[in-house]
């Protein structure tokens, strides 16, 4: 996913984003939350996106989040996001780090998929 994302950013002369492990944990936790409730949402019982990122120890000046459900592959979910103006704005946004999450609402890899991308501009 990182290569796909950075390839798209390169098309618009945007600098590449760096994968951040703490942000991966934030994104994965949110995908797990979505899967447990079987609903795609930006809301989370752990709080707002800003709170979740701050609680992970990340100092930020700008944040964004893309969520999706149902896409079976990275290429499909990225294609959906690239063709959505709001999601594309996050992909091309003024951020420095990114994290990803993926969960399913069924056993193993069966069930519906829930994807999360979390974007942060660090301070």
């Amino acid at each position: 996913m990182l290569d796909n994302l950075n390839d798209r950013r390169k098309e618009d002369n945007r600098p590449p984003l760096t994968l951040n492990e703490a942000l991966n944990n934030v994104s994965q936790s949110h995908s797990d939350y979505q899967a447990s409730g079987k609903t795609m949402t930006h809301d989370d019982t752990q709080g707002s996106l800003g709170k979740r990122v701050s609680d992970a120890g990340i100092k930020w000046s700008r944040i964004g989040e893309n969520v999706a459900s149902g896409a079976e592959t990275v290429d499909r979910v990225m294609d959906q996001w690239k063709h959505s103006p709001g999601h594309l704005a996050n992909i091309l946004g003024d951020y420095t780090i990114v994290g990803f999450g993926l969960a399913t609402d069924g056993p193993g890899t069966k069930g519906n998929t829930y994807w999360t991308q979390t974007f942060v501009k660090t301070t």
Side-chain angles (χ1 to χ4, degrees), residues 19-33 44 46 49 52-53 55-58 65 97-103 116-118:
L19 192 62
N20 179 276
E21 190 62 33
L23 211 47
N24 269 348
N25 292 336
V26 170
S27 297
Q28 186 60 53
S29 177
H30 189 65
S31 286
D32 291 341
Y33 174 78
D44 193 314
Q46 295 180 15
L49 177 58
R52 288 182 266 145
V53 170
D55 286 351
I58 300 168
E65 179 179 70
I97 60 174
V98 66
F100 307 119
L102 170 61
T116 305
Q117 290 181 322
T118 309

Side-chain angles (χ1 to χ4, degrees), residues 48-115:
S48 68
L49 177 58
K51 181 178 183 322
R52 288 182 266 145
V53 170
S54 294
D55 286 351
I58 300 168
K59 296 187 184 306
W60 57 273
S61 61
R62 179 187 310 263
I63 55 174
E65 179 179 70
N66 287 344
V67 297
S69 71
E72 298 86 14
T73 66
V74 168
D75 287 340
R76 284 195 179 175
V77 73
M78 286 298 297
D79 190 57
Q80 289 173 2
W81 283 331
K82 289 175 190 177
H83 288 92
S84 164
H87 294 105
L88 181 59
N90 279 337
I91 289 169
L92 300 177
D94 183 22
Y95 301 110
T96 53
I97 60 174
V98 66
F100 307 119
L102 170 61
T104 60
D105 63 11
T109 58
K110 302 206 183 295
N112 195 36
T113 55
Y114 297 88
W115 301 83

